[in-house]
Amino acid sequence: MSWFSLSVRRWRRMIQFLSLFCLCLFLVVSCASRPQTNTPTGSANTATGDGRITVGTTAKPRTLDPADAYELASLGLVFNMSDRLYTYEPGSTEIMPQLATALPKVSSDGLTYTIPLRQGVVFHDGNPFNAEAMAFTIKRFIENKGKPSFLLADTVDSVKATGESELSIKLKKPFAAFPSLLAFSGVCPVSPKAYELGAGKFKPETFVGTGPYKLAAYGTDSLRLDAFDKYWGEKPANKGINVQIQTSPVNLFNAFRTGAVDVAYLSLQPDQIRSLEEGAKKGDWQAISAQGSVVSYMVLNRNQKPLDKPEVRQAIASLIDRPLLNQRVLFNQADALYSMIPTTFDVSQPLFKDKYGDASFDKAKQLLTSAGFSKENPAKVQVWYPASSATRSLVAQTLKSLVDQKMDGILQFEVSTVEAATFYKEITKGLYPAALLDWYPDFLDPDNYVQPFLACQKGSVAKGCEDGGSQTQGSFYYNEAVNKLIDQQRKEQNPEARKQIFAQIQTQVTNDVPYVPLWQNKDYVFAQKGVSNVQLDPTQNLVYKPIKK
């Protein structure tokens, strides 16, 4: 696996997010003929009574091609126009069949997944969905080399139809979380008649899948999705969706307040969210929130002094005051996080709370003193963040203020910032002692909060990680026992046994402190009175199909 390539792709996605959400705390999520490129003419008036739902957003899709979609603005639309082999139980991260009729049958060596497929399904262009079409889709996802292609390219060895309604996928090595990859929005079947295999052969303004909506019109500031009359499953509760792309959070905020859109989603500023929540309490409209899967954390570089001393890293973990950050910076629009694995997953354990607590300044001072630091010889730590993030700027300043006021000069924080593109390029080189970051998961499994942060394929205790996940994240963490545990959980098919392995990993991380978890986001969506069944799925997508008014 190319760790550096994988990391760069992720950072690139995050840079794109940052430009869109520079003033936001976190994300609040989220056809037969070639579509027109003009703006749809569907009315935005919520009182039209035509059975259509108008969704307002600031998230402009870069592409609708599933094989190249890697930003939430694109993936949210693909999600709603498509089906996947597997999806998530409502309000849960548990996998359930969608176009598959059962969970995969896994070979004894953990390498071959045999998947039975639903029959009687057709694409938006009228062609039948079958195992050959699904095999074509997976090959295209890998071979066209789009932004998310590494998700399957690093994992899948081969894919073939072993029957009209049976698919066989062979992996390069065992990976227990593989069904979660198959639930990724971009791994949705597309009509082989409408798409081509080949690097770079994408159709950004087209979508031909099997889902409940067809793409009727694609414009620069709006899209029109019509209900697909031949959809195999439960039909949408509405006649279709008009997506309005607003140019700014202020415009989205005003469009919702004036009733120009039925649903406002992705993305509003924290003060706007707070204002709309107040309006919802008065009965003006509805506020719907859900636990998110994005985590915010501090990375600590063990190759930079004084962070090479575990006591210093543990001291920083002790002084963090999550309730204060949530109140002062986040407007209580987040949940405190005490593990790098969010509470979205039942394997998450709040070990940082148990071991370090919040605002444990006396403990922090004791740890620093035991490591040889004092007022006369303070531990000095630079804390960096990308300049595009107003939230992380406030977090950094708040933490510096805490240290200045509470640590008696034994510890000193120096806050620094740099342009985002430079930040994500340089962090892999080890230039930053400490940094504030967000993590947007590629797929919903605890592995995606562990392996990219802790795994290291080349390194040593003396030098830290020289090539691997922790190097690309900027912590340079190296622990051979953790490497073995990561490999074990990736092979382990038994959920309870896998849970025990994750517990061991979290215990080791809590002791070694290569990262300090800070908060887990909440996702927000707002709906007018009379609009019902508005819900967010665990992958931050607003689910269009059940919405009605």
Side-chain angles (χ1 to χ4, degrees), residues 168-181:
S168 178
I169 304 175
K170 185 178 181 181
L171 307 187
K172 294 178 178 178
K173 54 185 176 182
F175 186 31
F178 183 63
S180 295
L181 283 183

Side-chain angles (χ1 to χ4, degrees), residues 296-298 320 322 337-340 352 515-519:
S296 294
Y297 58 97
M298 177 184 284
I320 299 296
R322 292 169 185 82
L337 185 64
Y338 297 97
S339 167
M340 287 299 289
F352 272 78
Y515 309 92
V516 181
L518 299 176
W519 72 84

Side-chain angles (χ1 to χ4, degrees), residues 285-536:
W285 42 69
Q286 303 171 69
I288 299 100
S289 65
Q291 189 177 62
S293 55
V294 176
V295 299
S296 294
Y297 58 97
M298 177 184 284
V299 56
L300 302 176
N301 183 349
R302 53 89 75 195
N303 285 348
Q304 288 261 15
K305 293 184 177 182
L307 296 170
D308 56 332
K309 295 180 179 291
E311 296 90 345
V312 177
R313 302 195 299 272
Q314 292 170 352
I316 292 173
S318 300
L319 65 86
I320 299 296
D321 189 342
R322 292 169 185 82
L324 181 70
L325 291 177
N326 201 6
Q327 180 183 358
R328 287 192 182 177
V329 180
L330 307 174
F331 296 105
N332 293 315
Q333 294 168 16
D335 292 316
L337 185 64
Y338 297 97
S339 167
M340 287 299 289
I341 302 175
T343 56
T344 318
F345 304 96
D346 64 359
V347 303
S348 177
Q349 296 185 355
L351 299 184
F352 272 78
K353 185 174 186 177
D354 299 340
K355 187 174 179 69
Y356 303 111
D358 284 284
S360 303
F361 301 112
D362 289 339
K363 180 184 292 186
K365 292 173 192 174
Q366 292 170 6
L367 286 162
L368 290 167
T369 301
S370 68
F373 296 100
S374 62
K375 294 180 182 179
E376 296 73 29
N377 177 39
K380 298 179 180 180
V381 178
Q382 288 184 341
V383 180
W384 290 78
Y385 64 91
S388 56
S389 175
T391 296
R392 284 196 283 268
S393 174
L394 288 171
V395 170
Q397 296 299 335
T398 302
L399 291 176
K400 183 183 186 319
S401 178
L402 266 182
V403 168
D404 290 345
Q405 293 175 26
K406 302 292 186 178
M407 291 302 295
D408 299 338
I410 301 176
L411 176 66
Q412 297 177 8
F413 274 0
E414 177 187 335
V415 174
S416 302
T417 187
V418 67
E419 191 269 329
T422 301
F423 177 89
Y424 291 116
K425 178 181 178 182
E426 301 294 345
I427 194 170
T428 64
K429 300 177 182 178
L431 297 186
Y432 307 132
L436 296 170
L437 291 166
D438 294 331
W439 177 252
Y440 300 84
D442 290 315
F443 57 95
L444 288 181
D445 186 89
D447 174 83
N448 202 230
Y449 297 85
V450 168
Q451 194 256 13
F453 290 89
L454 304 173
C456 182
Q457 60 195 37
K458 179 184 178 184
S460 64
V461 174
K463 294 183 178 181
C465 186
E466 298 175 68
D467 183 17
S470 65
Q471 171 256 322
T472 62
Q473 295 283 355
S475 73
F476 296 84
Y477 179 70
Y478 179 83
N479 186 305
E480 191 54 41
V482 170
N483 283 334
K484 291 178 180 177
L485 289 170
I486 291 171
D487 287 342
Q488 286 177 26
Q489 64 83 14
R490 291 195 134 205
K491 296 175 183 176
E492 182 57 65
Q493 294 287 339
N494 183 300
E496 283 304 313
R498 198 164 178 246
K499 185 175 183 178
Q500 293 304 314
I501 299 171
F502 280 122
Q504 294 178 61
I505 293 172
Q506 290 172 91
T507 298
Q508 195 66 52
V509 169
T510 305
N511 292 331
D512 296 343
V513 199
Y515 309 92
V516 181
L518 299 176
W519 72 84
Q520 176 178 346
N521 76 316
K522 290 181 184 176
D523 297 327
Y524 289 85
V525 58
F526 297 92
Q528 303 292 351
K529 290 188 295 185
V531 177
S532 59
N533 297 333
V534 177
Q535 62 191 56
L536 299 169

Side-chain angles (χ1 to χ4, degrees), residues 97-283:
Q98 190 173 36
L99 287 178
T101 58
L103 293 175
K105 180 180 178 182
V106 186
S107 61
S108 58
D109 61 5
L111 292 177
T112 302
Y113 284 65
T114 304
I115 302 170
L117 303 182
R118 189 177 296 277
Q119 298 179 342
V121 177
V122 296
F123 288 103
H124 297 157
D125 61 3
N127 286 294
F129 163 78
N130 52 33
E132 287 288 354
M134 195 66 227
F136 167 85
T137 293
I138 292 175
K139 289 175 183 176
R140 183 175 184 270
F141 189 92
I142 295 170
E143 294 176 18
N144 286 38
K145 301 186 185 299
K147 290 194 173 186
S149 62
F150 71 90
L151 289 173
L152 296 186
D154 291 342
T155 307
V156 173
D157 180 58
S158 63
V159 56
K160 61 182 178 180
T162 47
E164 180 71 13
S165 301
E166 185 180 87
L167 188 72
S168 178
I169 304 175
K170 185 178 181 181
L171 307 187
K172 294 178 178 178
K173 54 185 176 182
F175 186 31
F178 183 63
S180 295
L181 283 183
L182 297 178
F184 178 72
S185 295
V187 190
C188 60
V190 294
S191 173
K193 301 291 185 182
Y195 294 89
E196 293 179 89
L197 287 174
K201 291 185 177 180
F202 300 117
K203 292 190 173 182
E205 298 179 5
T206 297
F207 184 84
V208 186
T210 64
Y213 295 99
K214 290 177 62 171
L215 179 64
Y218 180 97
T220 56
D221 59 0
S222 54
L223 294 90
R224 182 183 175 95
L225 311 184
D226 289 348
F228 179 37
D229 57 359
K230 296 181 180 177
Y231 184 57
W232 62 270
E234 184 179 350
K235 302 294 191 291
N238 51 69
K239 299 296 184 182
I241 304 291
N242 300 330
V243 179
Q244 281 192 4
I245 302 171
Q246 303 287 340
T247 56
S248 70
V250 171
N251 288 349
L252 176 59
F253 178 72
N254 290 333
F256 180 77
R257 284 178 58 90
T258 58
V261 299
D262 295 306
V263 180
Y265 174 68
L266 184 70
S267 61
L268 293 162
Q269 297 176 12
D271 57 335
Q272 294 166 342
I273 291 173
R274 183 169 59 176
S275 174
L276 291 179
E277 281 192 302
E278 304 255 331
K281 290 175 184 176
K282 298 174 186 176

